Structure formats: C-alpha cells, structure tokens
Amino acid sequence: MSKFIPERVRDDYAADIQTIRDRLGDEAIVDWIERYYRSPDIDRHDVMIALGIDYIGTFYELIRAYDVEKPEPDQVEEARQLEMMRLLLDGEEVPENLRKPASWSRTIN
C-alpha cells in the first residue's frame, strides 16, 4: 500500500490533513488518489467531495503527502500534444486530427 509521508506536508495544512486521515483512514484516501490518477472520469472535484475537502490547496497537499504511483503517460497523446504545440508556436495551422485527443473520438460498438 502507498504510504503517507508527513515530511511532505507544509505546517499550515498538517492539521487539516490529519483530520481527514483520522476521519477516513489512509486506505480510503489512497483509493481516491489512485482513482484520480487512473480514471479520466474522476476529477479533483469528485475527490474533494468524497474526502470532505473544502479547499483546493488541501487537495494538492494531500496528493503530495501520499506516495501513490501514477500511471505511465500515453506516449501517443504526448506526441500529439508536442506536435500541436510546435505548429501553434510556429504560427502554422493545426490539422483537425491534432486538435482533439484520441479519447474524445466517438467509438461505435
């Protein structure tokens, strides 16, 4: 299991994070952080609601405080973004196929 690293938490967030840990436990917190990293359907707002976090700063401190493995980046998506940025910075037109991530394309079963 991923572990909590208290040295990563700034002093002004320590009490809030400890309150969340006491209320929910590390297992539930890690589960939500893993969902946040792995699923495009889970965003920070979902995690904040689930963990009872009121401030975005507390959310980011919580993310920093836990050693949770992030999934590997999508190499194809990274290449698409780099090419799109290169074209934009060179003042060239970006082709339609580079404007949208593959995950946005419609699939028919």
Side-chain angles (χ1 to χ4, degrees):
M1 183 175 134
S2 303
K3 68 178 205 172
F4 177 71
I5 304 170
E7 298 81 38
R8 291 184 181 175
V9 178
R10 290 184 286 174
D11 292 338
D12 48 337
Y13 288 97
D16 291 335
I17 289 177
Q18 189 57 50
T19 301
I20 295 167
R21 291 182 72 214
D22 291 343
R23 188 177 66 240
L24 300 171
D26 289 335
E27 191 172 319
I29 295 169
V30 168
D31 180 55
W32 275 104
I33 294 172
E34 287 173 346
R35 289 180 196 198
Y36 172 71
Y37 285 145
R38 289 195 179 112
S39 175
D41 297 328
I42 303 288
D43 62 15
R44 69 177 176 232
H45 184 70
D46 297 323
V47 178
M48 290 175 66
I49 290 171
L51 299 179
I53 298 172
D54 295 327
Y55 302 103
I56 193 75
T58 305
F59 168 76
Y60 285 115
E61 281 295 309
L62 195 67
I63 294 285
R64 268 179 15 126
Y66 282 86
D67 189 23
V68 175
E69 276 189 44
K70 295 179 184 176
E72 291 294 318
D74 181 352
Q75 298 299 325
V76 173
E77 176 60 18
E78 294 284 324
R80 182 197 69 80
Q81 289 179 16
L82 285 173
E83 179 62 14
M84 186 176 71
M85 288 306 295
R86 184 193 67 74
L87 291 170
L88 285 170
L89 292 172
D90 289 346
E92 299 177 33
E93 186 174 335
V94 178
E96 182 73 29
N97 65 324
L98 291 179
R99 292 182 192 166
K100 300 176 188 171
S103 63
W104 288 9
S105 65
R106 189 173 175 188
T107 57
I108 300 174
N109 293 347

